[in-house]
Amino acid sequence: FFLTNNKRGYSISVYMINQKELYYDLQKHSKEIEREIGTKLVWEEFKKACTIQWVAPKDLKISGNTNLQKVFDWYIASAFKYKKVFEKFVE
């Protein structure tokens, strides 16, 4: 898992190196995974790695300033939710 702040905003990602078979298995269940998580995810495949990224909602920004406690709380809750949902689809 990676917790990041990049061009898409705050996000949590599952990053898999040399595990395309696992990525494809998860991607087959993308609709179910996204439904359980409650949002659309960003699925990206690269030469040797793949990522599944969950971008934080825009309301983590308050009046142009970031509420860091709110961001931290979102990261923690999202990481546990990711784990719970992905466990169902990994053998």
Side-chain angles (χ1 to χ4, degrees):
F1 288 102
F2 281 92
L3 307 176
T4 58
N5 179 7
N6 59 28
K7 65 183 178 185
R8 290 188 179 116
Y10 296 99
S11 65
I12 182 170
S13 301
V14 175
Y15 185 78
M16 297 168 269
I17 299 172
N18 296 322
Q19 300 223 356
K20 292 209 177 191
E21 188 174 317
L22 173 59
Y23 176 80
Y24 297 141
D25 286 344
L26 290 168
Q27 196 173 40
K28 284 189 269 186
H29 300 284
S30 63
K31 298 287 187 226
E32 292 171 81
I33 291 168
E34 290 174 349
R35 184 176 59 247
E36 287 197 39
I37 288 178
T39 192
K40 184 127 177 76
L41 303 175
V42 179
W43 299 75
E44 295 180 305
E45 182 179 352
F46 305 103
K47 194 173 205 175
K48 292 189 176 189
C50 301
T51 65
I52 306 168
Q53 187 177 53
W54 178 359
V55 179
K58 299 293 182 200
D59 67 353
L60 288 180
K61 296 261 184 198
I62 300 171
S63 302
N65 296 316
T66 303
N67 180 328
L68 293 180
Q69 183 62 51
K70 197 171 182 181
V71 170
F72 183 76
D73 291 346
W74 180 84
Y75 275 145
I76 297 301
S78 299
F80 282 110
K81 192 170 189 179
Y82 239 34
K83 179 185 181 297
K84 184 178 177 181
V85 171
F86 276 77
E87 282 179 333
K88 296 176 184 180
F89 300 98
V90 177
E91 296 179 9

